[in-house]
Amino acid sequence: MSHLRLILLLVFSLVSSTLSQPSAILIDCGASATSLINGLRWQPDDDFISTGTSKNVSEQVLNQLLSTVRSFPLNLPTTTHRRSKFCYVITVSRGWNYMIRTTYFYGGVNGKANPPPVFDQIVDGTLWGVVNTTADYADGLASYYEGVFLAQGKSISVCVASNSYTASDPFISALEVVRLDGTVYNSTEFRDFGLSLVARHAFGYSGPIIRFPDDEFDRFWEPYSLNSTVPNNRKLDVSGFWNRPPSRIFNTDLRATQVQPLEFTWPPLPLRKSVYYIALYFAHDSDSLDGGGSRVFDVSVNGVTYYKELFVTPAGAVIFASRWPLEGPTTLTLSPRSGSTLAPLVNGGEMFEVIALGGKTLVRDATALNAIKRSFKNAPVDWNGDPCMPKNYSWTGVTCSEGPRIRIVALNLTNMGLSGSLAPEVARLTALSSIWLGNNSLSGSIPDLSSLKLLESVHLEDNRFSGTFPSFFSGVPRLRELFLQNNNLTGQVPSNLLQKPGLELRTSGNSFLTQPPR
């Protein structure tokens, strides 16, 4: 996954505080109070995440947004589950596409002697990519990552997670979740794919990053200047423009000096082998209108025709490809067609890597497990986001099935220091084969588990469960282990349970529990 560099003096350009900000949730990670930064309202993050530690960076920064981070433990004390994820959960409008931008500035939070950690970031059940800010931090810069994802439910989870390269605590500086207009990037099938930004440039421009209020969604348009043109201050109506680029990017361009091919490298860095979404933006410049000339050219990428006979008008044009395979350095060539009297030009470009979405835990199972989480007073700190996905990032103690229909098949939270109760919603996890919650401090009654027809092993020993001995266990057909010793159960153990073939039953240590008469 490509990341982008933030030049701290330039990216946070001043924004008038009288303008309304985008339809967005802007989160200042680690901050303790709401703040107005460059005219945009940023919220502290404690309403969106329940774990991690707020820290101040140890280095002086020029922007308030980078002065704090939320840091997450590399190693959890209660588990050897190495790959733990820590998720922000943001309420969204289902069915809308959202731009998600994460910002990272290390600032020595893990000690100045330690380099910035390398770790993963995740959206819902999809591994978005690797966060590596080492080079940027060495240059005194922050790094940002941007993607576009569909809200498939009422919330989106954005997570940071350790991987095999992570040597110290992962962290995050800022998180932005911006709702996009329904026409933006809508040639992508967002139910199957997401977009991860590689490059977004205003060609021929050399000033500060163009963003909100020029861009209504606060996308960052970075300068890309080979042969800058004099700004023409033309006001182009982009309301009907595909992807809604800001009109300001059309004030400059890259162009050939005469009617001849224009060739340049873009994006500036080589690409890994993948499939990419590419959008290029063009508009007829005002100083050539009076002459009545025409501007018609072909566009090619690495010598392969991308678009033939593009006729650029004063109203502008967008050409795009939803899935274009690329690898290594990329060269764009604009070649004039015969009869074209004006040099080819281009005003802006966007490129995203197309990433396949990971799976998602079956909604019914995820809902049930979140109810169980709420019934615990101290659930594991990594119980956030999707319970099963991405693979290798399931919640502590949760085992999931393989294949297209992802179910929760086992719970093992033995000796995790849990208190609270066991929610009745556990009975909705109908793919469960085992429930191991022994040696905790759970109390209340044992919920009815008769709906769990695949259940084979139940370990609830050494807790504080109370109430009448649960007779429903007699009707669980595959049950072979039932450990209920050392609780506060009352009543009588059903005789048919005692006589159940192949069942290992343990009930000792329940002071008021009696055996049936022989």
Side-chain angles (χ1 to χ4, degrees):
M1 177 181 63
S2 297
H3 73 279
L4 300 101
R5 297 154 64 97
L6 286 185
I7 301 174
L8 304 185
L9 288 172
L10 298 179
V11 69
F12 299 105
S13 53
L14 292 178
V15 178
S16 169
S17 61
T18 61
L19 293 170
S20 60
Q21 67 185 57
S23 178
I25 297 172
L26 309 180
I27 301 173
D28 186 356
C29 302
S32 59
T34 299
S35 57
L36 193 67
I37 302 175
N38 300 323
L40 297 176
R41 181 180 176 273
W42 291 81
Q43 305 178 53
D45 62 354
D46 46 10
D47 286 340
F48 305 96
I49 195 164
S50 57
T51 187
T53 304
S54 298
K55 293 183 179 180
N56 295 318
V57 302
S58 60
E59 300 177 8
Q60 188 174 5
V61 294
L62 296 174
N63 188 274
Q64 176 184 346
L65 190 64
L66 304 179
S67 64
T68 61
V69 302
R70 183 164 290 270
S71 178
F72 305 96
L74 173 61
N75 296 309
L76 297 178
T78 56
T79 177
T80 57
H81 188 80
R82 171 98 176 149
R83 291 196 172 190
S84 297
K85 64 185 177 188
F86 305 94
C87 303
Y88 287 81
V89 180
I90 299 99
T91 301
V92 292
S93 299
R94 183 175 183 173
W96 287 81
N97 295 330
Y98 284 81
M99 181 188 78
I100 298 174
R101 184 161 54 224
T102 52
T103 301
Y104 302 92
F105 182 69
Y106 176 56
V109 292
N110 294 338
K112 290 187 177 181
N114 297 316
V118 177
F119 50 92
D120 291 340
Q121 60 181 0
I122 293 164
V123 174
D124 292 332
T126 299
L127 180 61
W128 183 0
V130 176
V131 174
N132 188 345
T133 69
T134 304
D136 286 347
Y137 181 64
D139 292 338
L141 304 175
S143 305
Y144 74 92
Y145 298 77
E146 184 185 308
V148 180
F149 298 91
L150 172 68
Q152 299 195 38
K154 295 180 180 179
S155 65
I156 286 178
S157 61
V158 182
C159 319
V160 297
S162 58
N163 59 32
S164 58
Y165 299 102
T166 309
S168 62
D169 295 349
F171 69 96
I172 185 172
S173 302
L175 170 62
E176 301 162 74
V177 180
V178 183
R179 194 174 77 179
L180 298 176
D181 181 273
T183 63
V184 176
Y185 314 125
N186 66 356
S187 62
T188 300
E189 182 45 70
F190 282 105
R191 294 198 175 276
D192 298 317
F193 300 98
L195 298 178
S196 183
L197 183 65
V198 174
R200 180 185 291 118
H201 286 99
F203 293 133
Y205 174 70
S206 57
I209 286 176
I210 298 171
R211 56 172 301 190
F212 182 81
D214 294 293
D215 189 297
E216 61 185 299
F217 307 114
D218 199 24
R219 294 169 294 186
F220 294 168
W221 297 80
E222 296 188 346
Y224 187 104
S225 178
L226 295 179
N227 52 335
S228 301
T229 58
V230 177
N232 55 43
N233 297 316
R234 174 164 44 92
K235 298 296 183 182
L236 183 70
D237 181 9
V238 297
S239 60
F241 237 76
W242 201 303
N243 293 342
R244 308 283 283 272
S247 60
R248 190 173 163 195
I249 72 165
F250 297 99
N251 291 345
T252 58
D253 54 60
L254 289 181
R255 71 176 71 192
T257 55
Q258 27 186 324
V259 184
Q260 61 185 23
L262 170 65
E263 184 174 286
F264 62 100
T265 298
W266 182 80
L269 299 177
L271 301 172
R272 69 176 184 178
K273 185 177 182 180
S274 190
V275 176
Y276 294 86
Y277 174 102
I278 308 171
L280 299 172
Y281 304 93
F282 309 84
H284 217 344
D285 58 316
S286 58
D287 59 2
S288 63
L289 296 178
D290 294 338
S294 64
R295 181 173 278 117
V296 185
F297 51 89
D298 297 336
V299 181
S300 62
V301 179
N302 289 345
V304 178
T305 299
Y306 181 80
Y307 197 92
K308 279 189 174 183
E309 295 187 48
L310 176 64
F311 179 52
V312 180
T313 69
V318 183
I319 59 175
F320 68 93
S322 297
R323 295 180 59 81
W324 193 274
L326 289 171
E327 181 182 14
T330 304
T331 300
L332 295 186
T333 305
L334 314 183
S335 303
R337 298 287 294 188
S338 176
S340 180
T341 61
L342 298 173
L345 60 77
V346 60
N347 300 92
E350 294 181 280
M351 181 181 289
F352 296 85
E353 184 178 1
V354 180
I355 55 176
L357 296 184
K360 289 185 63 122
T361 305
L362 185 73
V363 172
R364 182 179 64 191
D365 282 14
T367 301
L369 201 57
N370 274 289
I372 296 170
K373 172 188 171 181
R374 291 190 296 271
S375 72
F376 294 158
K377 291 184 178 178
N378 50 344
V381 295
D382 64 344
W383 273 36
N384 288 287
D386 189 283
C388 294
M389 298 298 290
K391 189 177 180 181
N392 300 324
Y393 283 109
S394 60
W395 291 3
T396 294
V398 176
T399 302
C400 305
S401 65
E402 303 277 348
R405 187 175 168 85
I406 300 170
R407 303 293 309 275
I408 295 168
V409 297
L411 290 179
N412 184 357
L413 296 171
T414 304
N415 196 27
M416 291 289 290
L418 299 175
S419 59
S421 61
L422 179 58
E425 285 83 355
V426 67
R428 298 179 183 175
L429 298 174
T430 53
L432 279 178
S433 64
S434 63
I435 302 173
W436 288 20
L437 299 175
N439 197 22
N440 286 292
S441 298
L442 296 171
S443 58
S445 60
I446 297 174
D448 186 344
L449 305 180
S450 59
S451 61
L452 305 184
K453 303 305 182 185
L454 303 179
L455 193 60
E456 298 179 359
S457 178
V458 177
H459 285 219
L460 300 179
E461 71 276 11
D462 301 311
N463 277 284
R464 300 173 184 172
F465 288 111
S466 59
T468 304
F469 187 94
S471 60
F472 62 79
F473 280 120
S474 302
V476 179
R478 297 192 182 186
L479 192 62
R480 55 180 177 78
E481 286 184 347
L482 179 57
F483 291 7
L484 299 177
Q485 67 270 29
N486 301 323
N487 280 285
N488 299 312
L489 299 174
T490 62
Q492 192 174 87
V493 180
S495 57
N496 58 354
L497 195 62
L498 290 169
Q499 299 165 9
K500 186 177 177 66
L503 174 64
E504 182 178 358
L505 175 63
R506 299 182 185 181
T507 61
S508 63
N510 290 275
S511 302
F512 301 100
L513 193 63
T514 62
Q515 302 288 330
R518 295 182 182 272

